[in-house]
Amino acid sequence: MHKLDLLNTGRGKLALVTGAAGFIGSNLVDALLASGWRVTGIDRRSPETDPVAAANLQQALTTPGFTFEQADVTDTRARELRKADIVFHLAAATGVRPSWGVNFADYMRDNLTATHHLVQECERADVRRLVLASSSSVYGTAPQPSAEDGPLLPISPYGVSKLAAEQLALAYAARSASVTSTVALRFFTVYGPRQRPDMAISRMLYAVRTGVPMNLYGDGHQRRNFTFVTDAVRALLLAASTGTTGRAVNIAGPASVTVQMVLDTVEEVTGQPVPVVHTASRSGDPASTAADTRRATAGLGYRPAVSLPEGITRQWQWMRAAQSAPLIGGPA
């Protein structure tokens, strides 16, 4: 597999990142800038009015080579910015619970329609590479460990929307006249600094910090393949610089672990038990996720580097250093 040197090829080139003010997006922006790329970030949230966006982009906004544009992916202003060497598409409606019912219209607009606009604009602007963020939610109840060429059985509207978005992007890339090579990364439960407050590890650390019990959905025996954010970002960079194209690739952490094991690790890291209130499982949450990452290893050269204890320690240190910033809005 042909592999490029990202650090060398990035210097002086332009990367466009959608969802740049978000959790993974802002971490990716920082990494690209550190590697010498010029970066244009697009997000509907403005650092001037949104405190979370301001905190996430604080470093980037003071770094030469970064331009921020408050825009929707489908805005005309955003289309004019797509003369990029590579596009990382991370903008999306996220979360399983909010995707049920009338909110699904937002997921269709933000995950499917926006992706459709983006892939068309990439073709028109002769963008050579598109890296799309997908999700392990596309697997649902499929047999595990989940392999990219195995069954896709999403059990939530969110999972359905992410599957439709990646298949749409890959369908465009498969056309004989397409100039844009595309790879979709299926991320498994990313955590770390800047993680959304509604996600599990954020809620656990928030509960420890405040003493306010968190809702523990299910019995704690459900399993997840947690992926630290720097591993996720490294996978994005690898996807930008390899010849892997026209396919989906699983990106996951070292192992699938139970939620109870995560609670125990949080207690070890913080020195305090996590206060919880047990409640029923939620619709759309699979009992277990576990990734087959052989394609990522062979095609991208990806291997996870951060263990769960190390990752939770780094997220806890970040949360404490950020003082009140991570408490904005509280956990869902």
Side-chain angles (χ1 to χ4, degrees):
M1 185 65 65
H2 177 59
K3 183 178 287 188
L4 303 175
D5 183 341
L6 181 71
L7 294 180
N8 290 333
T9 59
R11 297 199 179 278
K13 292 192 175 182
L14 176 63
L16 179 72
V17 179
T18 72
F23 166 38
I24 301 175
S26 62
N27 278 283
L28 173 62
V29 166
D30 289 346
L32 287 165
L33 291 169
S35 296
W37 286 80
R38 292 182 296 114
V39 180
T40 294
I42 294 177
D43 204 292
R44 287 192 301 215
R45 296 166 294 178
S46 169
E48 296 181 358
T49 57
D50 187 303
V52 174
N56 287 352
L57 290 174
Q58 182 178 13
Q59 178 177 329
L61 289 169
T62 60
T63 303
F66 179 67
T67 302
F68 178 78
E69 181 74 15
Q70 182 185 8
D72 188 273
V73 172
T74 60
D75 285 352
T76 302
R77 288 175 299 163
R79 294 176 191 172
E80 293 172 353
L81 295 172
R82 293 201 181 117
K83 295 177 181 179
D85 296 285
I86 185 166
V87 172
F88 295 92
H89 183 35
L90 282 79
T94 58
V96 169
R97 272 185 297 164
S99 70
W100 295 96
V102 296
N103 290 335
F104 186 59
D106 297 334
Y107 285 72
M108 288 296 294
R109 181 192 66 232
D110 294 345
N111 295 351
L112 188 57
T113 302
T115 298
H116 184 236
H117 278 269
L118 185 68
V119 294
Q120 290 187 78
E121 294 304 320
C122 283
E123 284 195 351
R124 290 170 184 155
D126 290 333
V127 172
R128 296 297 173 179
R129 185 66 160 171
L130 171 64
V131 181
L132 175 81
S134 188
S135 167
S136 62
S137 292
V138 303
Y139 291 115
T141 57
Q144 296 177 2
S146 301
E148 294 89 346
D149 56 359
L152 301 172
L153 303 170
I155 57 173
S156 69
Y158 168 69
V160 169
S161 72
K162 293 300 287 185
L163 178 57
E166 74 166 52
Q167 291 190 331
L168 177 65
L170 294 175
Y172 264 81
R175 297 193 304 169
S176 59
S178 176
V179 299
T180 305
S181 68
T182 300
V183 61
L185 302 186
R186 293 174 179 164
F187 289 113
F188 282 68
T189 315
V190 182
Y191 72 104
R194 305 177 190 169
Q195 187 186 39
R196 297 196 328 265
D198 63 304
M199 298 182 75
I201 292 177
S202 279
R203 294 192 299 114
M204 292 175 190
L205 295 175
Y206 184 96
V208 168
R209 185 175 168 191
T210 63
V212 178
M214 63 166 281
N215 288 327
L216 178 62
Y217 301 103
D219 58 10
H221 292 117
Q222 60 269 44
R223 305 183 73 90
R224 295 291 181 267
N225 212 153
F226 290 93
T227 312
F228 193 65
V229 67
T230 57
D231 282 335
V233 166
R234 189 161 49 83
L236 287 160
L237 299 180
L238 288 169
S241 58
T242 65
T244 296
T245 188
R247 61 197 333 195
V249 180
N250 289 337
I251 302 299
S256 182
V257 299
T258 67
V259 171
Q260 185 58 55
M261 291 172 66
V262 181
L263 289 167
D264 293 342
T265 303
V266 169
E267 181 174 351
E268 292 172 5
V269 167
T270 65
Q272 302 175 63
V274 181
V276 301
V277 173
H278 290 270
T279 188
S281 300
R282 301 174 298 179
S283 297
D285 282 341
S288 177
T289 65
D292 180 332
T293 57
R294 287 176 293 178
R295 181 177 289 184
T297 301
L300 304 183
Y302 169 81
R303 289 181 176 83
V306 181
S307 68
L308 186 65
E310 179 186 351
I312 290 177
T313 298
R314 289 165 65 175
Q315 185 165 345
W316 176 238
Q317 291 171 342
W318 167 81
M319 178 178 279
R320 295 177 68 188
Q323 298 180 349
S324 62
L327 299 182
I328 295 171

